[in-house]
């Protein structure tokens, strides 16, 4: 079992990243819109015999990554909810490979759902979600974590990629 590496601060104010919309809602909204567009327009589809097994594998894989992300936060006793301050900088578990395992898991599960249903529009709506995540969620979080954890976070940021 991986050991949690964390840095805790108590001398800084209780501030948050200021992210306005919970990321799972962004992904669900985009997926809902894409699926509705897929139904409305007759778009090319991935054959179910191919799409379903691949899609299910991606959803399950994304779910496993999500569970590891949640477990790492719980072991570090820090907030998962973006509206609450981070008390620990977690750099172990899935955080050894990606700075955003939660968002990566949502992206993989989203891809799995779109492949399983085989829609082109639902896949296309992932692009604006990823742009929104980059500009309005991840950048805010990184700025907040850099302010909150200082050089510890900047060193981590330099050693681990944003997505992979």
């Amino acid at each position: 079992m991986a050991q949690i590496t964390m840095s805790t601060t108590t001398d800084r104010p209780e501030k948050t990243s200021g992210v306005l919309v919970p990321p799972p809602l962004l992904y669900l909204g985009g997926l809902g819109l894409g699926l509705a567009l897929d139904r409305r327009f007759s778009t090319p589809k991935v054959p179910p015999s191919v799409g379903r097994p691949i899609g299910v594998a991606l959803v399950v894989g994304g779910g496993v990554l999500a569970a590891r992300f949640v477990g790492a936060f719980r072991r570090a006793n820090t907030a998962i909810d973006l509206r609450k301050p981070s008390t620990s900088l977690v750099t172990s578990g899935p955080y050894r490979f990606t700075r955003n395992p939660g968002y990566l898991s949502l992206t993989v599960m989203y891809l799995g759902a779109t492949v399983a249903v085989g829609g082109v529009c639902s896949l296309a709506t992932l692009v604006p979600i990823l742009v929104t995540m980059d500009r309005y969620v991840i950048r805010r979080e990184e700025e907040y974590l850099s302010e909150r954890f200082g050089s510890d976070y900047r060193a981590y940021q330099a050693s681990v990629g944003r997505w992979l």
Side-chain angles (χ1 to χ4, degrees):
M1 178 180 263
Q3 186 168 345
I4 296 172
T5 304
M6 57 185 162
S7 174
T8 305
T9 64
T10 55
D11 59 340
R12 293 189 177 106
E14 298 290 26
K15 185 179 166 187
T16 66
S17 63
V19 172
L20 302 174
V21 178
L25 289 181
L26 289 173
Y27 280 86
L28 282 174
L31 183 60
L33 174 63
L35 292 173
L37 291 170
D38 283 330
R39 279 199 199 118
R40 172 72 175 96
F41 303 106
S42 295
T43 60
K45 305 245 184 256
V46 175
S49 61
V50 174
R52 285 196 182 125
I54 293 171
V56 167
L58 288 169
V59 169
V60 169
V64 168
L65 181 57
R68 296 206 54 216
F69 147 72
V70 169
F73 266 51
R74 287 200 173 135
R75 284 188 298 280
N77 197 30
T78 193
I80 295 172
D81 186 343
L82 295 174
R83 297 170 294 181
K84 296 180 180 176
S86 294
T87 56
S88 299
L89 176 61
V90 181
T91 60
S92 62
Y95 286 89
R96 291 175 295 154
F97 310 106
T98 173
R99 293 195 313 261
N100 294 293
Y103 305 147
L104 183 58
S105 71
L106 288 170
T107 302
V108 170
M109 288 188 287
Y110 186 107
L111 286 171
T114 62
V115 169
V117 298
V120 172
C121 292
S122 53
L123 183 59
T125 56
L126 180 58
V127 173
I129 291 168
L130 293 175
V131 170
T132 300
M133 288 298 298
D134 177 67
R135 292 191 180 148
Y136 301 104
V137 176
I138 295 172
R139 287 185 190 180
R140 282 182 180 204
E141 284 185 339
E142 289 182 340
E143 183 179 302
Y144 164 70
L145 293 171
S146 183
E147 181 181 309
R148 179 101 171 136
F149 297 106
S151 61
D152 287 345
Y153 181 73
R154 287 188 290 281
Y156 170 67
Q157 194 176 31
S159 66
V160 176
R162 180 179 277 174
W163 290 98
L164 286 176

